[in-house]
Amino acid sequence: MVEHRMVDVNGVRLHIAEQGDGPLVVLLHGFPESWHSWHRQFGPLADAGFRVVAPDQRGYGRSDHPDDVDAYTILHLVGDVVGLIHALGEEKAYVVGHDWGAPVAWHTALLRPDMVLGVAGLSVPPPFRGTEPPLAAMEKRFEGRFYWNYFNRPGVADAEFAKDTRTALRKFFYSASGDAPGTREGMQPLVDPERGWLAAMPDPEVLPDWFTEEDLDALTESFSKGFTGALNWYRNLDRNWELTAPWHGAVVTPPALYIYGDRDLVPAFPGTPELIERLPELIERLPDLMPNLWRKPLKLAGCGHWTQQERPDEVSAALIAFLRSCA
């Protein structure tokens, strides 16, 4: 059974879910998610002989939500992972992340390779650090309409999402999934400044099979404190660019795995002018960023952004094979 408790880490209290015994695997969720986004991986990984721990990361769920925007930099987030590994009585762990959790996992492997037995990222590839702050670059490129810039405006997205949290999450999860209709090629998530983020998203009458009403209940409850803590991660994108300058050009050296859906927009995001926009070229460059890439990236046909939720069995099987290969 999955057990829950609070852990003091890096100056904050984190809620964690855990199951199993064996080598530690830390599962890091993205936006707008919680520990629950990994709930279908707990049983398979625990049965395979691993100790599985998924926190609500800072600013999410039952974990602390610091007030200061500055408290959500990539160094704070990596510090939480490092502190959590130590708080759990371990010196090393496997680190796996999805969406925003992937950059945290990649940077943990980049900054503390001594503590990372293996790293896996879902949806978001390893970090490309360009020559220009990402928020500033996207502001110029899309005239402030890229969703990062929309999220960067204090209080705006916070209020839009909190107005009807359940509907906002339902529309967001469906629209970014592989079940949503329409082609994805060439699309970028641009926001109409007058209508907001959610206006153009369809609201499904029936949820996809992989995302139940109970899943939506759990997710809605996890945002009972609002969205500001989660959105503060985006408000540090330029600050993260400044803080990671010492690691410009560094590569992820621990054993690595990358998994993505072929209907996910994120792998093709133009994060900076230097970031490749076309996925095939990006995939070709991954071995340069991860010299110990375990296998070629795993592409999941028909899968959208919510990788481990849309394809739980395939993701769990790939993770177990990867984790065992690192032993």
Side-chain angles (χ1 to χ4, degrees):
M1 297 293 293
V2 177
E3 298 181 350
H4 298 263
R5 60 187 173 106
M6 303 296 293
V7 179
D8 292 314
V9 169
N10 195 27
V12 297
R13 283 175 60 79
L14 297 182
H15 162 252
I16 67 168
E18 59 185 329
Q19 182 178 356
D21 295 299
L24 176 61
V25 181
V26 179
L27 303 177
L28 304 170
H29 66 79
F31 175 88
E33 300 178 272
S34 70
W35 77 270
H36 186 78
S37 68
W38 296 102
H39 73 283
R40 292 183 178 89
Q41 280 68 50
F42 270 79
L45 267 63
D47 290 344
F50 296 97
R51 180 187 184 190
V52 186
V53 172
D56 284 334
Q57 298 199 73
R58 68 166 62 201
Y60 284 86
R62 286 180 264 171
S63 294
D64 283 352
H65 296 225
D67 292 330
D68 292 340
V69 175
D70 292 358
Y72 295 88
T73 73
I74 194 65
L75 298 186
H76 289 88
L77 304 175
V78 170
D80 289 347
V81 178
V82 170
L84 179 59
I85 292 170
H86 287 151
L88 295 171
E90 302 290 347
E91 295 297 323
K92 299 176 184 288
Y94 301 97
V95 184
V96 181
H98 167 257
D99 184 79
W100 249 115
V104 178
W106 297 129
H107 279 91
T108 302
L110 188 69
L111 308 186
R112 291 303 305 269
D114 58 308
M115 296 185 64
V116 177
L117 296 168
V119 58
L122 282 59
S123 178
V124 180
F128 292 81
R129 187 182 182 276
T131 58
E132 190 175 5
L135 284 171
M138 300 307 281
E139 181 77 30
K140 289 190 297 185
R141 185 164 192 165
F142 293 109
E143 300 179 341
R145 295 184 61 212
F146 197 70
Y147 81 107
W148 292 353
N149 302 106
Y150 178 70
F151 286 1
N152 193 47
R153 297 166 191 158
V156 177
D158 320 46
E160 182 186 6
F161 297 160
K163 184 177 180 180
D164 183 344
T165 298
R166 187 181 180 87
T167 298
L169 293 170
R170 183 175 60 245
K171 294 178 73 171
F172 192 16
F173 267 69
Y174 177 71
S175 297
S177 76
D179 295 270
T183 180
R184 304 300 176 90
E185 186 169 354
M187 290 179 61
Q188 295 297 340
L190 304 182
V191 180
D192 183 328
E194 301 298 326
R195 301 174 66 209
W197 171 255
L198 299 170
M201 294 184 180
D203 191 355
E205 294 183 7
V206 179
L207 292 174
D209 291 341
W210 55 268
F211 190 59
T212 67
E213 293 290 344
E214 290 74 20
D215 292 330
L216 183 57
D217 289 341
L219 189 62
T220 302
E221 172 61 27
S222 74
F223 283 96
S224 61
K225 297 180 182 178
F227 289 82
T228 299
L231 290 167
N232 282 341
W233 290 41
Y234 291 90
R235 293 161 184 162
N236 279 281
L237 282 169
D238 283 359
R239 188 172 290 108
N240 292 343
W241 180 84
E242 296 173 358
L243 293 172
T244 55
W247 293 274
H248 186 83
V251 299
V252 174
T253 56
L257 172 67
Y258 176 55
I259 305 173
Y260 69 101
D262 68 356
R263 301 202 74 234
D264 187 354
L265 290 176
V266 171
F269 277 4
T272 69
E274 291 77 20
L275 178 56
I276 306 165
E277 292 187 48
R278 291 301 174 198
L279 189 55
E281 299 174 54
L282 172 63
I283 298 304
E284 288 179 6
R285 284 192 58 189
L286 287 182
D288 297 331
L289 298 170
M290 300 183 289
N292 290 315
L293 191 63
W294 175 61
R295 51 156 291 169
K296 69 178 183 180
L298 175 60
K299 179 172 70 173
L300 302 175
C303 181
H305 181 60
W306 316 106
T307 326
Q308 75 274 23
Q309 298 182 75
E310 293 185 53
R311 297 291 188 275
D313 295 340
E314 293 168 82
V315 168
S316 295
L319 288 177
I320 290 168
F322 169 65
L323 299 175
R324 285 175 170 168
S325 76
C326 298

